[in-house]
Amino acid sequence: MSQDSIAATSLAGSRNDGKRGLWSSRWAFILAATGSAVGLGNIWKFPYITGENGGGAFVLVYLACILVIGIPLLMAEVMIGRRGRANPEGAIAAMAREAGASQHWRWLGTLAVICGFLILSFYAVVAGWALAYTPAAASGAFAGLDGEASGALFGALLANPWKLAGYGTLVLVLTLGIVACGVRDGLERSLRFLMPGLFVLLLILVGYAATTGHFMQAVHFLFDADFSKLSGTGVLVALGHAFFTLSLASGAMMAYGSYLPAGTSIAKTSIMVAIADTGVALLAGLAIFPLVFANGLEPGAGPGLIFVTLPIAFGQMPLGQVVGGLFFIMLAIAALTSAISLSEPTIAWLSEKFGISRLKAVLCSGAALWLLSLGTVFSFNAWSEVTLFGKTFFDSLDFLTTNLMMPLGGLATVLFTGWVLSRKTVQESLGIDQPQLFNLWWQLLRFITPVAILVVFLHSLGVF
Ligand code: TRP
């Protein structure tokens, strides 16, 4: 890439690069973005929605969604972050200014920051479940568990606000402690050992699953596409999950993109992140389904698949304490690296917009997050009867963010990139060398992606 185009990848360029800190290399960015993408979505949600929607055909549609919606939007977000070199609101404002468009576009960035903040308040509580299950699994508490006892164990955790709040607080403290240390010393240094640790644990588990004798059954379940098992709703679930699993529309990828060194190919790095994320989801399926089949359990058991069904398997298998302990540590690590990315937009936004230090931003947002997370904690016990439009506090937050804010924010980001920014600006910031490849992406982003997002959105509102 020429010097000119390297300079063009960053609008604010030299002014901000030194002050804000950058990833030390493109590998650090790939590690961080993969850490964000790989989380509860891959290990908890992907296997259970695959189970509920019949397996192979669903997986195929999900892969198509990653390709058609996920990758184009991921590239757009990283590009806006890097060229704007600021928190999501600042970056979008800078891009709008350059394009001569309305400054009101900045609200899109504010919406993304708020969305990430809200998601983190309940994500931390669910991540806490994984932390709570780690000592239980490792100490042999699952030995000889049957379905009913396992359900009761999970029910007892949800019924205990002290435990839920305690583990949720621990997740928040760990997350914000790492974020407070900054981009290189905090995020990058911790991710350097968390992410390889995660991959190693996952491979060990897949290796274990391969010894159960039911490995091929899982392979067929995941990869034999039988479209008669896939409903219209299944297609839409796959679309929605493509959003969630790549951490889109919540400021996370824009914030991480803003620390990406100039001259790195956004297309290549984004595709690598999407491949790693999809790879982990498929590996998680290969680790979990052989255990499910080997123990005669139900793949379509729903959200309880990991917290209710898997403990039964861990309680019966040889070395179950070790495998189970490893499994829940892995889940906690994956959730932690995602939680870090959910908090970064808020921290960058607070410190840059109000000119306060990162530490102050962490303390302020930490206090607010903690208070809000108690709402989620109590929605499983003391306030389980308190509902808004028939949903508990947790369900309302989940609905507001996943079903309303993310599709709307994603749609607006796609329209902003494809229709407001100039083709020339986008082309030079992305750094795709081959014109045909750029054209393919550009047409996808302008026409196919927005229509696909609109379909998910309208469906999630029950329009059809
Ligand atoms: N992608 C993560 C997962 O699969 C979760 C996550 C991180 C996320 N950042 C996000 C989800 C932003 C939505 C928006 O678990």
Side-chain angles (χ1 to χ4, degrees):
M1 197 186 273
S2 73
Q3 280 308 311
D4 274 359
S5 58
I6 287 177
T9 55
S10 160
L11 248 193
S14 51
R15 181 162 55 81
N16 276 347
D17 285 5
K19 201 175 79 209
R20 299 184 74 245
L22 289 176
W23 304 114
S24 62
S25 68
R26 77 191 181 108
W27 284 107
F29 169 78
I30 292 172
L31 210 62
T34 308
S36 166
V38 174
L40 296 169
N42 304 59
I43 302 173
W44 166 65
K45 202 166 178 197
F46 174 74
Y48 93 71
I49 57 179
T50 300
E52 282 181 336
N53 290 288
F58 174 84
V59 174
L60 211 62
V61 174
Y62 158 78
L63 292 178
C65 293
I66 292 285
L67 215 63
V68 173
I69 299 187
I71 293 178
L73 182 54
L74 177 59
M75 284 166 61
E77 292 201 6
V78 175
M79 180 211 74
I80 292 173
R82 180 168 75 180
R83 195 168 169 101
R85 278 281 187 255
N87 64 83
E89 184 191 315
I92 290 182
M95 296 292 280
R97 205 173 305 123
E98 191 200 11
S102 161
Q103 276 296 301
H104 286 306
W105 281 104
R106 65 165 59 231
W107 291 105
L108 172 57
T110 320
L111 181 85
V113 169
I114 295 172
C115 183
F117 179 87
L118 294 177
I119 293 178
L120 181 55
S121 79
F122 65 81
Y123 200 85
V125 177
V126 179
W129 301 349
L131 276 188
Y133 262 54
T134 306
S139 65
F142 298 154
L145 223 53
D146 61 9
E148 206 175 314
S150 183
L153 200 68
F154 189 50
L157 172 67
L158 294 188
N160 186 338
W162 290 103
K163 235 175 155 178
L164 285 189
Y167 282 110
T169 307
L170 187 59
V171 173
L172 282 178
V173 168
L174 284 172
T175 303
L176 293 172
I178 290 173
V179 175
C181 297
V183 174
R184 279 205 195 173
D185 295 337
L187 275 61
E188 193 172 323
R189 198 146 45 131
S190 57
L191 287 161
R192 259 182 213 285
F193 73 88
L194 287 178
M195 289 311 288
L198 177 84
F199 281 112
V200 171
L201 285 181
L202 195 56
L203 288 178
I204 293 176
L205 286 171
V206 174
Y208 177 82
T211 66
T212 60
H214 287 73
F215 193 70
M216 285 322 288
Q217 195 181 345
V219 171
H220 287 301
F221 181 72
L222 281 171
F223 299 110
D224 289 354
D226 174 358
F227 280 89
S228 67
K229 288 190 192 151
L230 188 66
S231 63
T233 314
V235 175
L236 293 153
V237 172
L239 271 165
H241 189 61
F243 252 112
F244 190 86
T245 194
L246 289 178
S247 309
L248 298 172
S250 58
M253 290 303 181
M254 263 182 225
Y256 276 10
S258 76
Y259 308 120
L260 184 64
T264 308
S265 161
I266 289 177
K268 273 192 212 137
T269 43
S270 302
I271 290 171
M272 282 164 96
V273 170
I275 291 176
D277 182 68
T278 310
V280 170
L282 295 176
L283 282 176
L286 288 178
I288 290 162
F289 286 116
L291 302 187
V292 170
F293 294 129
N295 291 282
L297 303 168
E298 189 44 56
L305 188 67
I306 276 186
F307 292 104
V308 179
T309 309
L310 276 185
I312 306 173
F314 293 141
Q316 290 171 359
M317 67 172 64
L319 286 180
Q321 274 170 253
V322 178
V323 179
L326 286 179
F327 179 85
F328 286 108
I329 289 185
M330 182 183 78
L331 188 62
I333 291 176
L336 186 66
T337 56
S338 297
I340 290 173
S341 81
L342 280 165
S343 71
E344 180 58 30
T346 306
I347 306 303
W349 181 76
L350 278 177
S351 66
E352 288 170 18
K353 187 161 172 115
F354 301 101
I356 57 177
S357 68
R358 270 182 88 86
L359 185 63
K360 265 205 193 117
V362 161
L363 293 176
C364 295
S365 56
L369 274 169
W370 184 74
L371 275 178
L372 199 60
S373 78
L374 292 183
T376 294
V377 165
F378 291 133
S379 72
F380 292 106
N381 35 70
W383 297 350
S384 61
E385 304 299 319
V386 183
T387 56
L388 191 74
F389 300 116
K391 291 181 195 304
T392 63
F393 186 83
F394 166 71
D395 289 334
S396 307
L397 262 189
D398 184 25
F399 182 79
L400 176 71
T401 50
T402 314
N403 295 345
L404 297 180
M405 295 174 84
M406 285 180 49
L408 276 180
L411 182 62
T413 308
V414 168
L415 295 178
F416 177 71
T417 311
W419 297 92
V420 174
L421 300 181
S422 76
R423 185 189 160 112
K424 184 170 163 287
T425 305
V426 174
Q427 192 163 10
E428 72 186 21
S429 345
L430 267 190
I432 299 184
D433 299 331
Q434 299 95 326
Q436 299 94 325
L437 266 186
F438 176 77
N439 222 7
L440 179 72
W441 176 82
W442 186 239
Q443 301 309 339
L444 255 180
L445 185 89
R446 278 160 64 93
F447 299 102
I448 313 284
T449 315
V451 171
I453 295 174
L454 209 60
V455 171
V456 192
F457 181 58
L458 294 180
H459 178 80
S460 69
L461 287 185
V463 174
F464 60 89

